[in-house]
Each structure stands twice: as C-alpha cells, then as structure tokens.
Amino acid sequence: KRKAGEEITAQMYNFIDKEGAEVTLRPEMTPTLARMVMQKMDERGEIRELMPLKWFSIPQCWRFETVQRGRKREHYQWNMDIVGVAGVTAELELLAAITTFFQSIGITAKDVGIKINSRKVLGAIVEAAGVPKEMFAPVCVIIDKLDKIGPENVTKELTDKKVPLESSKMILRAMECKSIEELAELCKGKVDMTAVEELKMLFAYAKDYGFYDFLIFDASVVRGLAYYTGIVFECFDRQKKLRAICGGGRYDRLLSLYGSSKEVPCCGFGFGDCVIMELLKELKLMDKVLDECKRQVDFVVAPFNKELFGAACSIATLLRSGGFSVDMMQKAEKKVRNAFSYADRAGGKYIVLVAPTEWEKKAVTVKSLRTGDREDEDRGEEIALADLVEKMQKAFSR
C-alpha cells in the first residue's frame, strides 16, 4: 500500500478469506516486476542480466471502483517496462511502442493524443512553493484530479492538507502552462532546469522517431501513483469522450522501496483493454480490427480416412519441424468439401490432403485457400514428401 500511494490503495479489490487472511486481488504489475528484478540482483546490487531489461506482460487486474463506460472492476492490461536506462530514450521507446500499436489498428494522431509532463519538474515547483517533501505524493494525488474537479476544488483540497494558499496558487499557475517554453520561463531561477531539458529532448527525439504529432505537453498531467519520479504521460481521445486510454512514466526509486541497495532507473506503462475497445467502436474500426485478428494457421492437415490418420500426424510433425503452424484435423473427412469448409473457417492458408492414392506414391495434395481461382490452384498440387517443407518454405517467402 505505502509503495503505490493512497489512490490505488482506495481502489484495491481486497477482502478477508475463510481463514481470516487479508487478500488483495492484483491491481497492477509494476510491484511484481520490481520483485522479479530484485531476484536477479547480486549482493552488490548489480543486476545479473543483459541490460537494459525490456519486459512486457498482459495480466488480469482488478480494482474496486464504480463500473462505468471504459472502466470495469476486472480487466486485462498490457504492460511494457524498461529497466536500467536513466535517460529519456527509454520513455521514447515506450511511446514508440504505443504509437506503433495505434497505427497498426488504424488509429492516428488525429484520433488520440499523448499528454506529457514531468513529476521531477512538478516536485521542484512544489518544493519552491514551500511545501515539505513528504507532502509531495499527497499533493500529486490532488493535482491529478484537476480536470475532474477544477482549480477551486483542488485549492480547497490542498488547503485541507495544510498547503498555504499562496503555495497552491503557484502550483496551479505551473499547471496552467501551455508549452514547455512557458514552463521553462516560470521555472527559471527557481528550480533546477535539468528536468525541463529532458522534456525538450523527448519532444525533439519524437520528431526523429516519427510520432511527434501524437505528443502534447500538458503541465497538469501528474499521474496518481506515488512512485513516479520523472516524465509521466497519459493518452486520451481527442474528442474527450472517454477516460485515459493508457498511462505511465518513470519510477526510479521503486526498487529501493523493496530493499535494493542501489537506485535502479525504470519506466513503463499500463494499457487497459476497456477504453481502447470503446474507442474502436467510436471510430467504427472494431469490425476491421476483429477481421484482421481472425485466427490464421499456415496449414490444415486433413486425413482421408481413419487408416490414414497416423500418416496425417506424420505430415503435421514434418511441417511443424519446418517452422509452420499446423492445425491437425481430429476427424477424418471422406467428403473433401467438409475438410475444405473446416480449413477455411480455421483460417488455413493451405490445406494438405492425405489420401490413399497420393500416399502410396509418398506424396500429398496441397491446395492454397487464399489465392486466385486458376485451374491448377483449384485442383491443388501433388507434392512429394521429400520436397514438401522446402517447396512450401519457398512458397511462403514469395
């Protein structure tokens, strides 16, 4: 609880089991990753793996909160993290992964934007405003609600936390900056400018990487989790109809909370399945994406009768040894039409028919299910077993 902060603590799906033990269903994967990395450390705090570590997962997560559009108590979340890189090149790589995914499913920079800010800059501003360091995390949780409750209510909540009014005004003034240049001007002479330069560098590299159009500087983005220490980001639809699509940032001190003798630079993001599904519906892209995600397999192997089932199994093994994906039909089909129907529904690119006449000649018939209707393709091609893998590897390489 103390490692993630009060926001996620309030959303934990927890209960007491029949043996009286306190149980919490997993709210996120970042602490799990931290423990995994710790297990790879030696007594000097060095990680015994090729660095940097690049890791992803798609776990099931739970949060006890109000069910609404794009928000469920149970969901799947795509996570990506990079461990061991102190500079913004790690954040750059993560943002590249997110934007590449968007483009792969037809979502453009006109549809979504990724808001970027720095907790490091905010920390310096909060400290310059006279707020004690130990109050930084609670202040971030309040500021994170700026879009939802407005500046007046944020000021009220900060006052309730004993933050002086003038300090609240200074913090909110920083949150209202519309550009990195404006933020830099506000910070000049008051805070260390290193974090501001990091933001500038990230945007500059994004141009080279080709996803600059997705990025938006937004000084009000702070993320609610307590462990963030540097650049943070959240992705929203441009129409502002939905909740955040994904979010993440840098968390350089989290491993230290779990006992690491050294501070290990880390950054990552979480990308839930709920909001992206709603966005695909909004953009009328769902049917296209589902069609592209249909099951596909290289070969469906169809035995003509039960006597040839063993022979068909050997063909399946032969093709798999050549690196192909194979769906082995579990029931012999004397009616070729039925075998073709199954192969088509299974997403097969080719069907391999294991029939008595061809098998006696140590051959099989291979037919493409995804090409034109030329007569030679329609009948299929008889291929000797000795040539099968090599010939099909050439066919796939074309």
Side-chain angles (χ1 to χ4, degrees):
K1 291 181 181 180
R2 65 183 177 85
K3 297 173 179 66
E6 62 182 63
E7 182 193 42
I8 200 168
T9 300
Q11 296 174 356
M12 281 183 174
Y13 206 119
N14 58 337
F15 53 89
I16 297 175
D17 70 11
K18 292 180 180 180
E19 294 181 341
E22 292 185 1
V23 177
T24 298
L25 298 180
R26 178 179 56 222
E28 58 161 344
M29 279 294 286
T30 309
T32 302
L33 173 63
R35 293 188 185 97
M36 288 168 57
V37 174
M38 289 283 291
Q39 290 176 359
K40 297 292 184 180
M41 285 184 172
D42 59 24
E43 62 278 0
R44 295 173 300 168
E46 301 292 337
I47 299 172
R48 304 184 305 273
E49 295 288 342
L50 176 66
M51 298 297 284
L53 296 176
K54 296 181 178 180
W55 185 80
F56 84 94
S57 63
I58 308 178
Q60 194 172 13
C61 300
W62 292 262
R63 295 200 183 176
F64 194 85
E65 54 186 339
T66 304
V67 177
Q68 51 189 292
R69 187 185 184 196
R71 199 75 162 179
K72 297 178 181 178
R73 291 182 175 178
E74 177 183 358
H75 67 282
Y76 284 89
Q77 181 168 292
W78 167 35
N79 302 289
M80 285 188 74
D81 295 83
I82 297 177
V83 178
V85 178
V88 297
T89 54
E91 285 90 338
L92 190 78
E93 192 74 358
L94 295 173
L95 291 167
I98 294 170
T99 54
T100 299
F101 168 71
F102 282 142
Q103 291 168 330
S104 74
I105 57 175
I107 294 175
T108 71
K110 293 180 180 178
D111 304 314
V112 299
I114 304 175
K115 298 178 180 180
I116 311 286
N117 193 23
S118 172
R119 282 278 278 263
K120 196 183 294 184
V121 175
L122 178 61
I125 292 170
V126 169
E127 189 175 349
V131 178
K133 282 187 177 180
E134 60 271 17
M135 286 295 296
F136 178 58
V139 165
C140 281
V141 172
I142 296 170
I143 295 171
D144 191 43
K145 297 185 282 187
L146 183 61
D147 284 344
K148 298 174 186 175
I149 66 176
E152 289 185 9
N153 287 316
V154 166
T155 301
K156 182 179 180 303
E157 290 197 18
L158 288 173
T159 303
D160 292 342
K161 291 286 187 181
K162 310 301 182 187
V163 176
L165 182 59
E166 284 304 313
S167 298
S168 297
K169 287 180 179 179
M170 182 177 175
I171 293 167
L172 287 172
R173 194 156 55 247
M175 297 301 97
E176 292 167 359
C177 290
K178 301 300 182 186
S179 68
I180 299 176
E181 291 71 28
E182 187 180 344
L183 180 67
E185 189 63 33
L186 180 69
C187 293
K188 191 181 293 182
K190 299 175 184 176
V191 302
D192 180 5
M193 298 295 286
T194 305
V196 177
E197 292 304 317
E198 285 180 349
L199 283 169
K200 289 180 179 179
M201 189 183 300
L202 178 68
F203 276 81
Y205 279 142
K207 286 183 180 179
D208 296 325
Y209 226 133
F211 60 81
Y212 177 83
D213 290 345
F214 280 93
L215 304 190
I216 307 161
F217 171 72
D218 189 330
S220 68
V221 172
V222 295
R223 304 287 292 157
L225 297 178
Y227 51 64
Y228 287 119
T229 57
I231 287 175
V232 288
F233 52 87
E234 284 186 351
C235 180
F236 289 86
D237 66 294
R238 300 265 187 187
Q239 298 298 317
K240 299 181 180 179
K241 292 182 178 180
L242 304 169
R243 302 174 66 95
I245 301 165
C246 64
R250 179 162 289 277
Y251 54 97
D252 288 347
R253 301 190 192 106
L254 185 61
L255 267 69
S256 299
L257 293 175
Y258 284 93
S260 172
S261 59
K262 292 185 177 181
E263 190 172 286
V264 180
C266 306
C267 63
F269 68 79
F271 193 128
D273 63 341
C274 299
V275 180
I276 189 64
M277 295 291 282
E278 295 297 331
L279 180 60
L280 289 171
K281 293 173 187 174
E282 280 284 335
L283 299 175
K284 295 181 171 51
L285 290 171
M286 182 63 82
D287 290 343
K288 173 180 175 289
V289 171
L290 289 177
D291 187 61
E292 291 174 353
C293 290
K294 279 182 180 176
R295 172 182 169 179
Q296 282 195 335
V297 65
D298 294 332
F299 293 94
V300 172
V301 178
F304 179 77
N305 55 39
K306 63 181 182 181
E307 286 75 20
L308 286 170
F309 188 83
C313 289
S314 69
I315 296 300
T317 298
L318 180 65
L319 289 168
R320 285 168 181 156
S321 69
F324 298 110
S325 58
V326 178
D327 185 334
M328 173 70 196
M329 285 187 65
Q330 303 301 295
K331 181 182 176 184
E333 288 286 357
K334 285 190 176 181
K335 291 184 178 180
V336 176
R337 181 173 51 191
N338 292 344
F340 275 57
S341 174
Y342 172 82
D344 188 55
R345 286 182 287 118
K349 296 174 184 174
Y350 290 86
I351 185 169
V352 180
L353 300 169
V354 185
T357 303
E358 290 82 358
W359 190 251
E360 284 181 6
K361 296 185 286 184
K362 295 184 179 180
V364 291
T365 297
V366 180
K367 182 186 182 309
S368 171
L369 299 172
R370 297 287 179 262
T371 54
D373 293 322
R374 293 179 307 189
E375 287 187 10
D376 58 331
E377 292 174 339
D378 197 50
R379 289 194 301 268
E381 180 183 2
E382 187 177 305
I383 302 176
L385 302 186
D387 302 328
L388 182 60
V389 170
E390 183 180 356
K391 193 157 188 174
M392 296 318 300
Q393 284 174 337
K394 288 180 180 178
F396 272 80
S397 67
R398 288 199 293 266

